[in-house]
Amino acid sequence: MDIFDAVAATAYQQAAILIIHKLEEVPMKKILITGGAGYIGSHTAVSLLHAGFEPIIIDDFSNSEKSALEGLRKILGRELTCYEGDCNNQELMDRIFSEQSITGVIHFAAHKAVGESTKLPLKYYKNNIGSLLVLLEAMKKHHVKDLVFSSSCTVYGQPDELPVREITPRKDAESPYGNTKRIGEDILMDYVKSGENIRAIALRYFNPIGAHESAEIGELPLGVPANLIPFVTQTGAGIREKLTVFGDDYDTPDGTCIRDYIHVLDLADAHVKSLQYLNDKQDNFYDLFNVGTGRGNTVMEVIKAFEKVSGKALNYHIGPRRPGDVEKVWADTTKITDKLNWHPQYSLEEALRDSWNWQLALAKRAQ
Ligand SMILES: NC(=O)c1ccc[n+]([C@@H]2O[C@H](COP(=O)([O-])OP(=O)(O)OC[C@H]3O[C@@H](n4cnc5c(N)ncnc54)[C@H](O)[C@@H]3O)[C@@H](O)[C@H]2O)c1
């Protein structure tokens, strides 16, 4: 750690400690975060603690590393409770709910590699659907009502209207992974319809990017990244020789695909707002929200913005279209703005800057 890292870490810790001190008289509500060592889960743990919740993590580290917990400790200035294990394990889930007075759950834990899911569909159905069912049973047994579920804009496929609204009909899923998100939403809807005492929100994430500005936590793509931004930052860092842009003949201003890139800290904040919103709701409640910026950016715009913030010229070439890629999708965010009073705070450039700083921190660690 150099002097600048030390100063930055101390500033984050001081902020966290100050908040904890202010809140010490108020018992903090414990929120179970499944998959809390992962990319979005770890950032949400930071936002939850800053908002006065106590995050309790369960993770089996199938797609994350324990270094994420160390990163959280540095940012927050304290340890978080973490159970290592599989949230398909009913006994373990029972134990967590018995040992901790959990008041709500954010269910991130899932496998998420679209390509792998087409080759190993049962792995995806078993983990992504199985864990949701085990969780719902444990919540019922322990009288925990509030749940935020990680869904995805993948449920829209290539939508017939843009920007896409929550009432826009979902399309048949393009992959088993996408189907697990669609089924997960349906399970929650049916469960609430059955009269169960549960209050649930499904958040349909658009494309999360960026990292905590301390660069202590971020996205850890294992193997060759399938998402654009880790590929961009790894190419910028020289880990990948060049970036392939999959198609430049789409019906978009520069011919490359359009996505809605959202900073992971804005996304984390949407989970906090969701829990606060559920708190005022009657039992037996379900709703879903898009979480995007409401702006679409082409792949070429992302490349240019990355070059600007990093000062690096990116080695890229145009390749053929990739099968299964949606041409363009971005969110209508009216509903989440109106109902949850949630507004994204970060620009594309800020998000890319944070992704790049995270990549540089990873490279430093590897030395
Ligand atoms: N990152 C994205 O682009 C994106 C987009 C839309 C939706 N989502 C969804 O958001 C959620 C979080 O995504 P992420 O990007 O943080 O992924 P991630 O892989 O970084 O985090 C998921 C975490 O869950 C853990 N996990 C998986 N199965 C588990 C199990 N059975 N028991 C315990 N832990 C388990 C993994 O080890 C990992 O730490 C997932 O449900 C994902 O499908 C992600």
Side-chain angles (χ1 to χ4, degrees):
M1 182 188 270
D2 64 29
I3 183 71
F4 295 107
D5 291 341
V7 169
T10 309
Y12 291 119
Q13 287 174 6
Q14 281 168 352
I17 290 163
L18 199 71
I19 290 162
I20 292 161
H21 278 282
K22 270 195 199 154
L23 293 164
E24 66 191 350
E25 299 305 322
V26 185
M28 289 164 95
K29 286 185 170 179
K30 291 185 179 176
I31 305 299
L32 180 64
I33 317 185
T34 74
Y39 175 42
I40 307 168
S42 56
H43 289 83
T44 303
V46 174
S47 300
L48 281 174
L49 194 75
H50 285 174
F53 294 97
E54 171 75 28
I56 308 287
I57 292 173
I58 173 175
D59 204 299
D60 65 0
F61 299 97
S62 55
N63 198 41
S64 52
E65 289 178 0
K66 299 216 170 114
S67 57
L69 301 179
E70 179 54 19
L72 284 173
R73 196 189 60 72
K74 286 187 182 158
I75 293 169
L76 301 170
R78 53 159 288 199
E79 304 276 347
L80 294 182
T81 304
C82 178
Y83 290 81
E84 179 170 356
D86 183 347
C87 55
N88 286 286
N89 179 337
Q90 189 99 52
E91 274 170 36
L92 173 62
M93 293 301 276
D94 237 5
R95 181 156 77 79
I96 298 173
F97 279 96
S98 300
E99 287 178 2
Q100 309 286 344
S101 308
I102 303 290
T103 59
V105 182
I106 307 179
H107 185 43
F108 291 108
H111 296 319
K112 64 167 184 178
V114 174
E116 186 189 54
S117 80
T118 62
K119 297 193 179 78
L120 299 171
L122 297 191
K123 175 178 172 183
Y124 279 70
Y125 285 113
K126 196 170 168 203
N127 194 35
N128 297 8
I129 305 299
S131 64
L132 177 61
L133 297 177
V134 167
L135 174 66
L136 289 172
E137 283 183 3
M139 287 175 66
K140 181 180 172 75
K141 187 167 168 193
H142 296 273
H143 312 289
V144 176
K145 289 189 290 199
D146 294 351
L147 174 65
V148 181
F149 171 69
S150 299
S151 189
S152 168
C153 69
T154 189
V155 299
Y156 294 118
Q158 178 59 67
D160 295 329
E161 63 165 15
L162 284 168
V164 66
R165 292 179 293 165
E166 289 81 352
I167 53 166
T168 304
R170 298 176 306 177
K171 293 272 172 79
D172 284 346
E174 297 265 352
S175 69
Y177 165 74
N179 211 23
T180 65
K181 293 300 170 191
R182 188 186 164 106
I183 294 170
E185 289 186 355
D186 289 346
I187 289 171
L188 291 180
M189 204 171 53
D190 286 344
Y191 196 43
V192 168
K193 255 194 224 160
S194 76
E196 200 56 45
N197 260 354
I198 184 174
R199 304 186 292 196
I201 283 180
L203 295 179
R204 290 176 174 165
Y205 311 158
F206 281 66
N207 292 68
I209 63 169
H212 190 267
E213 46 265 50
S214 64
E216 295 290 355
I217 53 173
E219 187 172 11
L220 259 190
L222 303 177
V224 181
N227 291 342
L228 177 64
I229 304 307
F231 216 108
V232 163
T233 58
Q234 289 190 5
T235 308
I239 297 167
R240 310 266 156 218
E241 193 201 332
K242 65 178 160 204
L243 169 78
T244 303
V245 176
F246 296 112
D248 68 349
D249 56 352
Y250 287 101
D251 181 19
T252 62
D254 60 28
T256 63
C257 289
I258 295 180
R259 297 286 179 276
D260 185 336
Y261 295 97
I262 172 163
H263 197 297
V264 66
L265 286 173
D266 280 331
L267 181 53
D269 182 45
H271 293 81
V272 173
K273 291 263 175 14
S274 297
L275 286 170
Q276 289 163 339
Y277 182 70
L278 284 177
N279 195 41
D280 299 332
K281 292 290 153 203
Q282 300 290 318
D283 290 358
N284 197 245
F285 173 87
Y286 173 67
D287 207 348
L288 48 87
F289 297 94
N290 286 341
V291 200
T293 62
R295 275 189 325 264
N297 287 102
T298 67
V299 175
M300 286 312 299
E301 284 168 352
V302 170
I303 290 174
K304 294 298 162 211
F306 172 79
E307 290 183 329
K308 193 170 141 205
V309 300
S310 68
K312 294 252 170 199
L314 208 58
N315 187 16
Y316 67 88
H317 73 118
I318 308 293
R321 290 183 177 197
R322 188 169 58 172
D325 271 349
V326 163
E327 179 174 84
K328 48 190 164 190
V329 62
W330 65 93
D332 183 313
T333 55
T334 311
K335 185 174 171 188
I336 190 165
T337 303
D338 288 355
K339 293 205 171 181
L340 303 195
N341 191 24
W342 173 89
H343 306 267
Q345 305 294 324
Y346 293 88
S347 67
L348 177 68
E349 284 74 17
E350 287 166 329
L352 289 169
R353 174 204 63 199
D354 293 340
S355 291
W356 178 234
N357 285 337
W358 165 242
Q359 182 63 57
L360 295 176
L362 279 180
K364 224 193 231 176
R365 274 191 217 172
Q367 278 170 9

